[in-house]
Amino acid sequence: MIYLDNSATTKPCGACVDAMTELLTDVWGNPSSVHALGIEAEKRLKLARRQVAAALGAETERVFFTSGGTEADNWAIFGAAERLGKRGHHIVTTAVEHHAVLHPMKALEARGFAVTYLEPGADGFVSAEALAAALRPDTILVSVMMVNNETGAVMPIPEMIRLTRQKSPLALFHADAVQGFGKVPFRARTLGADLISVSSHKIHGAKGTGALYIRPGLTLPPLIHGGGQESNYRSGTENLPGIAGFGAACAAMDAQADIARMAGLRDLARQTLADVPGLVFLGKGDAPHIVNVSLPGLRSQGIINCLQDHGVYVSAGSACSRGHRSHVLEAMRLPTAVIDGSVRVSFSRENTPEDVAALREALLDAVKTLKG
């Protein structure tokens, strides 16, 4: 099996599996309990928080665990709107965000908020100048993804944050870093964002766990009321096996080496696939792990099926939007035939140059088969 759908999810690494197994079999106490088993579980919770915070470059006490990136995005957006809604009702985001951001924005519009959706260029990139033109004195929130999950476009987050501080000083800045964490170097302490969302299963952790970074001094309304876990922000007994696996996956990362390896595979793919008949590359693709290609005139599902017959696994657009035409590629105003024939290839540190060679052969066969 040649797995090239790592933007959808990554294979849990050995350190993650070992940590989760231990928490499920040996350290299975409730971290809120005051006996020895509970105290040991609490120690593992604190360790995982330190591990995630270290990978994020964040203050340990400002990392709050969630069920994943979607929950972290929702919490950041709705929490910011509730906290600052009396100061203004204008929000800025982009038209190429993940639905975990776009759908909450639509819900806020139904409540009377005004949302500006920044349009990308033909390469999927949203410029800082576009944001500057949209910012207003009554803007209370800017939410922009760090890396687009379909095109690999890396957004100019530091410059966008600087402009937001200058033109809309009341606004909070939220960065969805689900595709950027471990792929684009940043440190939460110095990036300047107020809120940062990350997810475990994109970095070789397990599904069902994520985190929201909330900068020091900023408070949000509680997401879930109850027993007071996660500093009274998100009550409910913690998913400690998943959290421990998340921490272990963070500790196992070697971000500099991982980024270099993925970037090398990305560049090799661009070079190797260039001679596939009819193939075109889509998007800016400056993230190290994503290559979006299209075979205009063919259908994405047919391409995916042909590749799967060769044991090669890719996806069509976002794995969370199965069966729908990509809103990202539509926002880039690409021709319909290009959109309908697009597939996303995404690498992890576990992929090899041989995987790229196998992808090329599978694509050549797909062209031959589907074009008759």
Side-chain angles (χ1 to χ4, degrees), residues 45 48-49 52 63-67 209-211 230 234 243 246:
L45 178 62
R49 202 181 308 277
V52 176
V63 172
F64 303 96
F65 291 114
T66 68
S67 67
T209 309
E230 294 302 293
R234 187 186 188 273
I243 289 170
F246 189 11

Side-chain angles (χ1 to χ4, degrees), residues 93-98 102 116-120 126 148 327-328 331:
T93 188
T94 81
V96 295
E97 297 298 307
H98 192 279
L102 293 179
T116 298
Y117 298 90
L118 304 178
E119 296 291 334
V126 178
N148 185 266
H327 70 281
V328 173

Side-chain angles (χ1 to χ4, degrees), residues 184-266:
V184 176
F186 73 90
R187 308 293 288 172
R189 287 190 186 92
T190 56
L191 181 64
D194 301 291
L195 303 157
I196 303 173
S197 305
V198 294
S199 179
S200 169
H201 75 108
K202 309 296 188 181
I203 61 156
H204 300 282
K207 304 171 191 66
T209 309
L212 180 66
Y213 166 79
I214 305 176
R215 69 157 170 80
L218 174 63
T219 58
L220 290 182
L223 178 65
I224 301 175
H225 296 270
Q229 288 87 353
E230 294 302 293
S231 300
N232 288 308
Y233 274 132
R234 187 186 188 273
S235 293
T237 302
E238 299 89 348
N239 170 20
L240 194 49
I243 289 170
F246 189 11
C250 286
M253 278 199 306
D254 183 346
Q256 184 174 359
D258 293 348
I259 291 170
R261 181 177 183 83
M262 290 183 286
L265 293 171
R266 174 203 62 196

Side-chain angles (χ1 to χ4, degrees), residues 123-186:
D123 58 359
F125 180 76
V126 178
S127 69
E129 290 75 18
L131 172 62
L135 290 170
R136 305 182 338 202
D138 64 334
T139 302
I140 61 165
L141 173 65
V142 176
S143 181
V144 179
M145 64 192 341
M146 187 172 289
V147 175
N148 185 266
N149 56 302
E150 294 191 38
T151 66
V154 178
M155 305 304 177
I157 298 297
E159 188 176 358
M160 286 179 161
I161 293 171
R162 180 179 59 80
L163 289 169
T164 301
R165 301 293 180 238
Q166 292 176 354
K167 303 196 70 172
S168 301
L170 297 179
L172 295 177
F173 195 104
H174 166 238
D176 176 348
V178 167
Q179 291 292 339
F181 187 33
K183 280 71 170 194
V184 176
F186 73 90

